[in-house]
């Protein structure tokens, strides 16, 4: 279903459920929470070098619902040229419709090697390329894709707002940008645990204490279609139409 066809009232209800009581620094571009520390590219590469051989077993099940929900959303959107950011070992690749032409990028050569094995093993003819590339500074031309989907990447990159700007650049006006990610809980026990785990970000290779405002400015949050991913709501799917500049 295209974004313009989604119910405005349903969008507001879903957004309210997810964002109620989220911390805000005020203004259109609040500062990220102070507990969040930057992960540099080498820290990410090192972490995913350790995870590459066991990623599917350790994280595949946990991330399955969010991954499949994101692919389902991509499959239902208009356009054929799709950029998957943070393609990893390629767990999502077999689930795209054949007419979707997929280009995947990742910072980890070790993860990409696993993805290429999957493409060959599953004979995925709609995967156009798997490239080692920095998601914050891709080499694609402007408006190269109809859709960009970033799965579990926003809490990994050093500068999430730069990731957003880059995806807005490479997706055509009127196209769509999707994020599926874990976002910091607004409070309670889960929020306290996530804040505590934030100190282990460099070892984990991602930020357990990652707030949505670290990625999206307020104006994008207001117009985004935001869906908690069942069954546990640990992940959230965000769909954003790429407006003309």
């Amino acid at each position: 279903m295209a974004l313009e066809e989604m119910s405005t009232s349903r969008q507001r209800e879903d957004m309210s459920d997810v964002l109620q009581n989220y911390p805000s620094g005020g203004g259109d571009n609040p500062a990220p929470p102070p507990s969040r520390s930057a992960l540099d590219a080498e820290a990410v590469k090192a972490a995913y070098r350790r995870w590459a051989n066991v990623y599917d077993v350790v994280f595949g099940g946990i991330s399955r619902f969010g991954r499949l929900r994101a692919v389902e959303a991509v499959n239902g959107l208009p356009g054929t040229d799709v950029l998957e950011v943070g393609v990893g070992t390629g767990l999502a690749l077999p689930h795209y419709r054949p007419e979707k032409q997929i280009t995947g990028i990742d910072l980890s050569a070790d993860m990409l090697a696993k993805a290429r094995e999957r493409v060959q093993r599953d004979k995925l003819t709609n995967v156009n390329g798997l490239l080692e590339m920095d998601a914050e500074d891709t080499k694609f031309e402007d408006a190269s894709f109809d859709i960009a989907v970033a799965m579990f990447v926003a809490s990994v990159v050093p500068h999430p707002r730069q990731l957003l700007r880059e995806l807005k650049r490479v997706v055509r006006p009127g196209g769509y940008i999707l994020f599926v990610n874990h976002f910091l809980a607004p409070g309670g026990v889960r929020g306290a645990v996530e804040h505590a785990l934030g100190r282990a970000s460099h070892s984990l290779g991602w930020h357990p204490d990652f707030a949505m405002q670290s990625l999206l400015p307020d104006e994008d949050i207001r117009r985004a279609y935001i869906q908690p991913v069942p069954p546990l709501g640990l992940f959230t799917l965000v769909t954003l139409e790429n407006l003309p500049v």
Side-chain angles (χ1 to χ4, degrees), residues 178-234:
L178 293 83
F179 297 95
V180 63
N181 214 87
H182 170 81
F183 293 104
L184 177 68
V189 174
R190 180 181 141 192
V193 169
E194 289 167 352
H195 273 298
L197 285 173
R199 293 191 291 269
S201 294
H202 277 73
S203 298
L204 293 170
W206 60 286
H207 287 285
D209 57 341
F210 183 73
M212 190 176 292
Q213 289 89 342
S214 296
L215 172 66
L216 299 176
D218 285 350
E219 62 267 24
D220 283 344
I221 290 177
R222 285 192 293 268
R223 68 185 185 85
Y225 183 63
I226 299 173
Q227 301 169 277
V229 176
L232 300 176
L234 290 175

Side-chain angles (χ1 to χ4, degrees), residues 30-67:
S35 62
R36 187 183 185 280
S37 58
L39 288 175
D40 59 33
E42 291 308 314
V44 172
K45 287 182 180 180
Y48 283 92
R49 188 175 303 118
R50 294 192 299 270
W51 290 119
N53 288 327
V54 297
Y55 184 89
D56 291 4
V57 174
V58 176
F59 294 107
I62 297 172
S63 62
R64 176 177 173 81
F65 291 102
R67 184 172 59 254

Side-chain angles (χ1 to χ4, degrees), residues 58 75 126 173 177:
V58 176
N75 284 337
N126 63 331
I177 300 168

Side-chain angles (χ1 to χ4, degrees), residues 40-194:
D40 59 33
E42 291 308 314
V44 172
K45 287 182 180 180
Y48 283 92
R49 188 175 303 118
R50 294 192 299 270
W51 290 119
N53 288 327
V54 297
Y55 184 89
D56 291 4
V57 174
V58 176
F59 294 107
I62 297 172
S63 62
R64 176 177 173 81
F65 291 102
R67 184 172 59 254
L68 293 182
R69 179 61 64 89
V71 173
E72 179 184 19
V74 169
N75 284 337
L77 289 171
T80 57
D81 293 325
V82 178
L83 174 64
E84 184 179 330
V85 181
V87 67
T89 62
L91 284 168
L93 295 176
H95 302 286
Y96 291 102
R97 289 181 177 171
E99 62 268 24
K100 299 295 186 185
Q101 299 298 306
I102 312 300
T103 299
I105 65 171
D106 204 284
L107 195 60
S108 170
D110 300 88
M111 302 285 269
L112 285 169
K114 298 293 182 182
R116 293 185 183 108
E117 291 174 4
R118 188 184 306 277
V119 169
Q120 292 184 350
R121 182 177 65 246
D122 294 352
K123 297 180 174 58
L124 302 177
T125 58
N126 63 331
V127 178
N128 293 334
L130 296 170
L131 309 172
E132 186 176 348
M133 196 175 290
D134 184 349
E136 294 183 4
D137 184 24
T138 72
K139 306 307 177 186
F140 301 116
E141 295 183 359
D142 294 357
S144 293
F145 298 96
D146 300 310
I147 304 166
V149 55
M151 301 188 193
F152 315 109
V153 171
S155 54
V156 172
V157 297
H159 309 103
R161 292 285 179 91
Q162 176 56 35
L163 169 65
L164 177 64
R165 286 191 291 270
E166 182 68 359
L167 296 188
K168 287 181 176 181
R169 183 186 71 80
V170 302
V171 172
R172 64 171 174 79
Y176 298 90
I177 300 168
L178 293 83
F179 297 95
V180 63
N181 214 87
H182 170 81
F183 293 104
L184 177 68
V189 174
R190 180 181 141 192
V193 169
E194 289 167 352

